[in-house]
């Protein structure tokens, strides 16, 4: 989140760069989110096992018993979480591919973003390669600068700036880009439409979106809106990034992601740690979360009671022991508190520094850090992840000769990458970047399928051979 | 699906390399290379199915040790079915989706003298292939589990045979009919392997 905050200032530049910042936001977001971590089981698991366990009072016996149970639950819920993430990622990709295939606007070259000033319509291959490398370098440096700006802003607590940025960016996405999208869809299907109807539709869409994302709303609706804005962003990227630049950017971003999240001095990691120290809320609108019911009480002792409480709890019911934190959270925004708690909870798993906070709050022996009901713990994934996955699949469907084969291969590769990442997350219980593995698989499969498999399948289909 | 894709990738790599190393103009050679490529691909697919089996077995053991009653939540049969089905789906989709996409567009089937039944036979063949992969998955996993390598060899051989029969296209009588017979046979075999029997069917149909 902190990362998110950092990116927010970008929006204030108020140019076309908004596309970017949003992306960065999500990106940052994502990296943050990678720390998705969910399972209270995992946490419980962590607690006994990790040295950084902030609750030294855990009973060893309970720990051992819980261990096995936890691991099993971890795996079971791990699988569930994988599925919970597959559906939105798939939906986003499906929307992007469907749009690319039908609306020709997004495959037409209408210029480039100011972040990629070098054109790729050059005469020699070498020149084109050089231009695309320069473009990618500019883009990445913009992202790095923005991330550092975010860290700085967050460090000096400029929350208003961050909030404002976030709101402006989502306003832009929800109104302007969806207006363009709707217009292009109407053009493609030759639907006659008057401005008044369009104004009404866009206005309603936008306002409901703003409310859902930044405040409270039904979970499904919020998820749907997040998927839609990710798809819109991905479409913008697909349209405005020239080919080689796009592939290079994808590759470099996954490397950057790896570095930024895992290195001790990486900006994203610093942001996360700062956020944890301050025990602060996350910014919504940049994270996709699969559950909303926040369980709450981190300070209760009895896991059973906690679980029961959590089963029925909504963000309203919060344990008294947690009052201070809750108040703090609710002071911001009702919607924030849920996400914050979720996020905090998520982060507790992978980054075991929050146990100290909780230990301080609880000051009681407790073997469960959260009272969350396992089923209700959700997974969080940053929107930037969605965006980049969709960019990869969208570009594959737009510019491949193997067409659907390539698109499908990239899709499968990304999903498998996501699975592997979640598996690693379950094993390492640390914040992990979600982009590298999936994007690597996706890129490998794209180039391999486009160049190797496609001619083979083509020949086979020509003779109607089946393998 | 991922494993099937990887096997396809490797097979096409081999084919691609062989095509590039050979004479482009000689169409008979190209045809032969294509057949060679297809055969290699079949063998690779089966090899990857085996690799996937090993992976699932390991995962299964892991799950079993972690669960409360020592049994994994997913039975090996279910895994076999799912793996076969996913191999079938991805193989079918890869075979047919470009054809489907083209079939929407304007055009005449077989205008250059090829068979006008291209689309419909493709559809049937793909269906047969998907079903076959599912059945092969079930039989394969069962054979690996019980170490009946004869069954394993039969599965690979029938895959090769099916693929080979498609080389007889567009002589559809010779290719479609035997393939369907093989599909039915393999289906019955898979059903029996999975533990079904006439008794089970009757019970299922009668007790609603």
């Amino acid at each position: 989140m902190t990362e998110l905050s950092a990116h927010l200032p970008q929006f204030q530049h108020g140019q076309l760069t908004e596309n970017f910042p949003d992306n960065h936001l999500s990106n940052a977001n994502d990296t943050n989110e990678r720390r998705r971590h969910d399972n209270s089981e995992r946490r419980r698991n962590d607690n006994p096992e990790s040295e950084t366990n902030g609750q030294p009072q855990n009973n060893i016996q309970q720990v051992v018993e819980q261990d096995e149970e936890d691991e099993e639950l971890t795996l079971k819920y791990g699988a569930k979480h994988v599925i919970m993430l597959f559906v939105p990622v798939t939906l986003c990709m499906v929307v992007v591919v469907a749009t690319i295939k039908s609306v020709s606007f997004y495959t037409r070259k209408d210029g480039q973003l100011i972040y990629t000033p070098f054109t790729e319509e050059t005469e020699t291959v070498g020149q084109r390669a050089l231009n695309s490398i320069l473009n990618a370098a500019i883009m990445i440096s913009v992202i790095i600068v923005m991330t550092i700006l975010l860290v700085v802003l967050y460090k000096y607590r400029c929350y208003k700036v961050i909030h404002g940025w976030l709101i402006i960016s989502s306003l832009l996405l929800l109104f302007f880009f969806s207006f363009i999208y709707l217009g292009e869809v109407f053009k493609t299907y030759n639907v006659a439409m008057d401005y008044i109807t369009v104004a009404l539709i866009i206005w309603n869409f936008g306002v409901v979106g703003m409310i859902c994302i930044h405040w409270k709303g039904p979970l499904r609706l919020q998820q749907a809106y997040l998927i839609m804005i990710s798809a819109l962003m991905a479409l913008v990227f697909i349209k405005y990034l020239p080919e080689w630049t796009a592939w290079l950017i994808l590759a470099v971003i996954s490397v950057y992601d790896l570095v930024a999240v895992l290195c001790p001095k990486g900006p994203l990691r610093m942001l996360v740690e700062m956020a944890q120290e301050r025990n602060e809320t996350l910014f919504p609108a940049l994270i996709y979360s699969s559950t909303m019911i926040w369980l709450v009480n981190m300070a209760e002792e009895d896991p059973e009671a906690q679980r029961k409480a959590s089963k029925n709890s909504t963000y309203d019911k919060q344990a008294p022991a947690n009052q201070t934190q809750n108040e703090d959270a609710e002071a911001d925004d009702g919607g924030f508190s849920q996400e914050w708690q979720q996020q905090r909870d998520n982060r507790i798993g992978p980054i075991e520094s929050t146990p100290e906070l909780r230990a301080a709050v609880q000051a009681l022996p407790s073997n469960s850090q959260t009272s969350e009901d396992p089923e209700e713990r959700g997974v969080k994934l940053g929107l930037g992840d969605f965006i980049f996955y969709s960019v990869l699949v969208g570009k594959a469907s737009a510019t491949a000769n193997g067409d659907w084969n390539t698109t499908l291969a990239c899709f499968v590769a990304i999903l498998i990458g996501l699975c592997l990442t979640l598996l690693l997350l379950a094993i390492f219980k640390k914040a992990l970047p979600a982009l590298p593995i999936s994007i690597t698989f996706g890129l490998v499969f794209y180039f391999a399928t486009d160049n190797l498999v496609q001619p083979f399948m083509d020949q086979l289909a020509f003779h109607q051979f089946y393998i | 699906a991922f494993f099937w894709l990887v096997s396809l990738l490797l097979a096409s790599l081999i084919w691609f390399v062989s095509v590039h190393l050979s004479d482009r103009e000689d169409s008979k050679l190209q045809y032969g290379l294509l057949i060679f490529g297809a055969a290699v691909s079949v063998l690779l697919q089966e090899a990857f199915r085996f690799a996937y089996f090993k992976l699932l077995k390991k995962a299964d053991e892991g799950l079993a040790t972690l669960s409360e009653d020592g049994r994994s939540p997913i039975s090996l049969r279910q895994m076999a079915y799912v793996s076969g089905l996913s191999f079938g789906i991805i193989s079918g989709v890869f075979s047919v989706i470009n054809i489907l996409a083209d079939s929407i567009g304007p055009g005449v089937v077989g205008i250059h003298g090829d068979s006008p039944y291209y689309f419909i036979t493709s559809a049937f063949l793909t269906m047969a292939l998907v079903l076959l992969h599912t059945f092969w998955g079930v039989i394969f996993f069962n054979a690996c589990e019980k170490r009946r390598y004869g069954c394993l060899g039969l599965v690979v051989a029938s895959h090769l045979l099916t693929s080979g029969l498609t080389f007889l296209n567009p002589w559809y009588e010779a290719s479609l009919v035997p393939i369907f017979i093989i599909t039915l046979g393999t289906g019955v075999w898979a059903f029996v392997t999975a533990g079904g029997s006439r008794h089970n069917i009757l019970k299922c149909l009668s007790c609603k």
Side-chain angles (χ1 to χ4, degrees):
Chain A
M1 290 71 80
T2 49
E3 291 125 325
L4 297 179
S5 343
H7 292 297
L8 291 173
Q10 292 175 8
F11 275 79
Q12 301 220 313
H13 296 317
Q15 313 145 0
L16 254 191
T17 59
E18 269 122 356
N19 300 349
F20 256 57
D22 207 24
N23 192 24
H24 298 301
L25 268 169
S26 340
N27 201 8
N29 220 348
D30 294 332
T31 40
N32 234 341
E33 305 333 314
R34 288 179 217 120
R35 305 195 220 110
R36 34 182 125 140
H37 249 236
D38 21 324
N39 264 327
S40 45
E41 272 71 26
R42 285 188 209 168
R43 266 181 300 162
R44 262 185 261 135
N45 212 359
D46 287 341
N47 273 347
E49 294 164 0
S50 68
E51 280 99 57
T52 60
N53 190 0
Q55 294 180 334
Q57 312 94 327
N58 278 350
N59 193 343
I60 308 283
Q61 245 180 12
Q62 283 171 314
V63 160
V64 166
E65 277 161 17
Q66 263 200 331
D67 238 4
E68 290 153 9
E69 205 182 274
D70 288 346
E71 274 188 55
E72 176 206 337
L73 286 167
T74 302
L75 283 179
K76 248 204 286 180
Y77 292 112
K80 199 172 173 195
H81 292 161
V82 169
I83 306 292
M84 284 202 278
L85 279 184
F86 268 17
V87 174
V89 171
T90 311
L91 270 176
C92 192
M93 289 198 241
V94 161
V95 168
V96 169
V97 170
T99 310
I100 296 268
K101 287 284 179 199
S102 54
V103 179
S104 63
F105 173 72
Y106 288 103
T107 39
R108 234 173 22 225
K109 270 212 73 79
D110 279 341
Q112 297 181 201
L113 290 175
I114 64 166
Y115 287 121
T116 53
F118 297 98
T119 174
E120 282 197 11
E121 318 277 337
T122 58
E123 279 151 19
T124 66
V125 172
Q127 183 74 11
R128 185 175 187 185
L130 183 67
N131 278 359
S132 51
I133 292 178
L134 286 173
N135 277 341
I138 293 178
M139 189 82 118
I140 296 297
S141 40
V142 169
I143 292 179
I144 294 180
V145 162
M146 289 305 180
T147 313
I148 295 182
L149 195 58
L150 186 66
V151 178
V152 163
L153 269 181
Y154 194 71
K155 197 166 173 184
Y156 296 114
R157 301 173 187 267
C158 309
Y159 297 137
K160 292 258 183 261
V161 168
I162 294 173
H163 268 87
W165 183 23
L166 200 46
I167 290 186
I168 291 179
S169 76
S170 32
L171 263 174
L172 187 79
L173 265 182
L174 282 172
F175 288 98
F176 186 54
F177 288 145
S178 45
F179 173 63
I180 293 181
Y181 179 78
L182 205 59
E184 293 304 325
V185 169
F186 285 150
K187 273 187 221 168
T188 307
Y189 291 107
N190 209 14
V191 174
M193 182 64 73
D194 55 299
Y195 276 118
I196 300 178
T197 315
V198 167
L200 263 173
I201 294 176
I202 298 287
W203 173 253
N204 280 317
F205 179 77
V207 167
V208 175
M210 289 299 287
I211 294 178
C212 255
I213 297 174
H214 292 278
W215 197 46
K216 306 173 207 187
L219 179 67
R220 290 283 174 226
L221 199 57
Q222 187 192 35
Q223 292 174 338
Y225 267 104
L226 289 175
I227 293 176
M228 281 190 267
I229 65 178
S230 312
L232 282 173
M233 272 304 293
L235 283 169
V236 166
F237 271 114
I238 295 173
K239 181 175 171 62
Y240 287 110
L241 283 180
E243 276 191 51
W244 291 19
T245 311
W247 299 116
L248 266 177
I249 287 183
L250 277 171
V252 179
I253 272 219
S254 39
V255 171
Y256 167 68
D257 202 25
L258 197 63
V259 163
V261 172
L262 295 179
C263 287
K265 278 298 172 191
L268 299 179
R269 189 162 170 162
M270 277 170 41
L271 278 172
V272 172
E273 283 165 6
M274 275 198 289
Q276 286 183 330
E277 283 164 27
R278 297 182 195 173
N279 201 17
E280 282 178 340
T281 70
L282 267 189
F283 298 102
L286 291 171
I287 310 149
Y288 176 91
S289 70
S290 47
T291 64
M292 192 140 98
I293 300 191
W294 197 223
L295 300 191
V296 171
N297 221 345
M298 315 260 258
E300 275 182 23
E301 321 166 15
D302 184 4
E304 294 312 309
Q306 284 172 337
R307 241 181 257 142
K308 283 190 214 120
S310 51
K311 262 202 160 66
N312 301 324
S313 74
T314 59
Y315 67 91
D316 291 321
K317 303 180 194 165
Q318 284 163 352
N322 228 4
Q323 210 64 45
T324 44
Q325 290 163 331
N326 290 343
E327 275 158 25
D328 184 44
E330 279 179 358
D332 277 338
D333 208 277
F336 279 57
S337 62
Q338 289 165 16
E339 296 219 49
W340 171 65
Q341 282 175 322
Q342 268 173 320
Q343 190 65 13
R344 195 183 53 186
D345 232 42
N346 287 349
R347 279 182 291 142
I348 287 167
I351 303 180
E352 284 115 353
S353 55
T354 32
E356 286 123 352
L357 276 162
R358 267 172 287 135
V361 169
Q362 299 177 19
L364 289 162
S366 160
N367 48 15
S368 69
Q369 292 188 345
T370 57
S371 50
E372 282 129 20
D373 195 348
E375 278 109 30
E376 301 193 18
R377 281 202 59 95
V379 194
K380 289 192 173 204
L381 183 59
L383 284 195
D385 287 329
F386 279 88
I387 292 178
F388 279 117
Y389 293 159
S390 311
V391 166
L392 200 151
V393 175
K395 268 277 185 226
S397 77
T399 61
N401 356 345
D403 238 7
W404 287 100
N405 282 352
T406 320
T407 313
L408 273 172
C410 289
F411 170 70
V412 172
I414 288 181
L415 285 184
I416 295 287
L418 192 60
C419 264
L420 274 175
T421 311
L422 286 174
L423 194 69
L424 282 179
L425 201 50
I427 296 176
F428 289 118
K429 302 192 196 351
K430 240 171 59 134
L432 283 181
L435 282 181
I437 300 180
S438 288
I439 299 276
T440 315
F441 276 0
L443 285 175
V444 163
F445 268 77
Y446 170 75
F447 287 112
T449 314
D450 204 27
N451 298 319
L452 296 175
V453 175
Q454 193 265 335
F456 185 44
M457 292 303 296
D458 228 14
Q459 282 292 304
L460 285 177
F462 180 67
H463 295 283
Q464 218 176 10
F465 292 167
Y466 279 81
I467 53 166
Chain B
F2 183 65
F3 275 67
W4 187 88
L5 276 176
V6 175
S7 84
L8 181 63
L9 219 137
L10 286 175
S12 27
L13 179 63
I14 295 178
W15 176 79
F16 192 75
V17 165
S18 70
V19 162
H20 273 260
L21 290 179
S22 69
D23 179 13
R24 279 289 183 92
E25 299 308 310
D26 187 356
S27 68
K28 268 230 159 268
L29 180 63
Q30 293 300 315
Y31 193 74
L33 274 180
L34 196 60
I35 296 186
F36 164 70
V40 164
S41 155
V42 166
L43 291 171
L44 274 175
Q45 278 178 48
E46 297 300 327
F48 271 84
R49 209 198 292 268
F50 185 68
Y52 192 56
F53 168 76
K54 280 269 174 247
L55 182 70
L56 281 183
K57 202 79 179 27
K58 274 225 183 110
D60 194 34
E61 282 164 10
L63 281 176
T65 51
L66 291 176
S67 78
E68 292 165 344
D69 51 1
R71 284 172 33 226
S72 80
I74 313 174
S75 80
L76 197 63
R77 294 240 178 89
Q78 285 173 322
M79 284 200 272
Y81 172 67
V82 168
S83 120
L85 188 62
S86 72
F87 263 55
I89 289 179
I90 191 86
S91 143
V93 164
F94 257 64
S95 309
V96 99
I97 197 142
N98 280 326
I99 299 178
L100 277 178
D102 283 336
S103 70
I104 303 177
V108 177
V109 188
I111 197 169
H112 289 291
D114 298 310
S115 158
Y117 302 118
Y118 186 74
F119 284 155
I120 189 103
T121 49
S122 298
F124 275 114
L125 273 175
T126 315
M127 177 186 86
L129 205 41
V130 171
L131 287 172
L132 273 173
H133 267 289
T134 318
F135 300 147
W136 283 329
V138 171
I139 301 172
F140 191 96
F141 274 47
N142 195 35
C144 282
E145 184 70 16
K146 303 207 174 113
R147 303 192 185 282
R148 285 153 67 176
Y149 294 118
C151 284
L152 211 60
L154 260 179
V155 166
V156 177
S158 76
H159 193 169
L160 278 170
L161 180 65
T162 313
S163 189
L165 279 173
T166 59
F167 294 160
L168 291 176
N169 281 333
W171 186 22
Y172 291 132
E173 299 82 9
S175 67
L176 264 183
V177 173
I179 287 184
F180 268 91
I181 295 176
I182 294 179
T183 312
L184 279 171
T186 328
V188 170
W189 184 13
F191 183 66
V192 167
T193 322
S197 66
R198 246 183 320 160
H199 182 63
N200 279 359
I201 301 178
L202 289 174
K203 224 166 60 144
C204 173
L205 286 175
S206 65
C207 71
K208 290 298 167 229

